[in-house]
Amino acid sequence: MSTMALTRPGMNRLTAVELRKMTDTRSGFWLALVVAAITVLLVVIVDLVGNAQDQTLRSMLSIAVQPASVLLPVMGVLLVTSEWSQRTTLITFTLVPHRWRVLTAKLVASVLLSLAALVLAFVVAIAGTAIAMPDVANTWTLPIGMVVQIVVVLTTGMMGGVAFGAVALASAPAIVALFVLPLITGAVGSIHVLEGVARWTDATRTLAPMTDHLMSATEWAQAGTTLALWLALPVLIGLWRIARSEVS
């Protein structure tokens, strides 16, 4: 009698499955479509009514990535919470007992989707700049450092959505926390005695320069501190939650 060795699915396969989960659902499909539509719409508006300084490739790209930076994290939340809302956790964790591998695949898939959104933003920004052809210096100049910063914004934002979803394991509270917590920290940071702390922990301050200008070493340190607090820590908490949660 021959026996068949059972092998666990590789990370590439798990990542491909998680990518399909993000786009195969009705909510994921329409959310991705909305991101693409708003990206095009914003660039068209800038072409029609924007001034010449806003029509350079650098400015166009900064504008084009805004819809993805705001809405894609919601897809990250849903990628995790849908496992519980649609009661697929039993199947998922039976096929892949090591739950940390599932969360890792979700994080990798979220990075890949955010990079795909960046490619779309690039294409739309280039097209918008070519159509507008503003009569200003350095129309097509785009420092590689700006590209790196935009990559960091999109990928960490998407991963943050996955992390918040893993912490809450429910869509509504995770999405609310994703949008409300930065507002709360920004408001608290406006208090004079806490302003120094806010410069290192308030995401609305530390991450905003990434799409605006080339950041200094100090700004990178502040952004890194913020990401450790609002990304790395939620990922660890989310992994602990997923590892201990009941499945059905």
Side-chain angles (χ1 to χ4, degrees), residues 67-239:
S69 66
V70 174
L71 295 178
L72 283 188
V74 176
M75 292 184 68
V77 169
L78 297 176
L79 179 61
V80 179
T81 58
S82 61
E83 298 276 11
W84 274 261
S85 63
Q86 298 178 16
R87 299 184 181 277
T88 59
T89 51
L90 182 59
I91 298 174
T92 299
F93 296 136
T94 298
L95 294 174
V96 188
H98 299 291
R99 300 184 185 185
W100 65 268
R101 297 185 71 235
V102 176
L103 182 59
T104 301
K106 291 180 186 295
L107 290 170
V108 174
S110 69
V111 169
L112 294 178
L113 185 63
S114 61
L115 293 177
L118 178 59
V119 172
L120 172 65
F122 254 117
V123 171
V124 175
I126 291 172
T129 305
I131 293 172
M133 286 301 292
D135 187 18
V136 296
N138 302 319
T139 297
W140 295 97
T141 300
L142 182 62
I144 187 64
M146 282 296 300
V147 178
V148 171
Q149 290 175 190
I150 291 173
V151 168
V152 171
V153 167
L154 289 182
T155 56
T156 57
M158 189 73 174
M159 293 171 68
V162 173
F164 273 75
V167 170
L169 298 181
S171 302
I175 293 173
V176 169
L178 189 66
F179 288 105
V180 172
L181 281 180
L183 297 178
I184 295 175
T185 56
V188 172
S190 64
I191 301 173
H192 180 68
V193 295
L194 298 175
E195 188 173 356
V197 176
R199 282 198 291 266
W200 293 85
T201 59
D202 180 10
T204 58
R205 298 189 189 192
T206 62
L207 302 184
M210 285 194 174
T211 58
D212 182 57
H213 61 264
L214 289 173
M215 292 167 51
S216 66
T218 300
E219 288 176 318
W220 270 109
Q222 292 169 337
T225 304
T226 300
L227 291 175
L229 177 63
W230 295 109
L231 176 58
L233 183 59
V235 166
L236 293 176
I237 296 173
L239 180 59

Side-chain angles (χ1 to χ4, degrees), residues 30-54:
W30 282 106
L31 191 54
L33 190 62
V34 167
V35 169
I38 296 177
T39 299
V40 174
L41 179 62
L42 287 178
V43 172
V44 169
I45 291 174
V46 174
D47 270 345
L48 293 177
V49 301
N51 57 50
Q53 294 296 332
D54 293 331

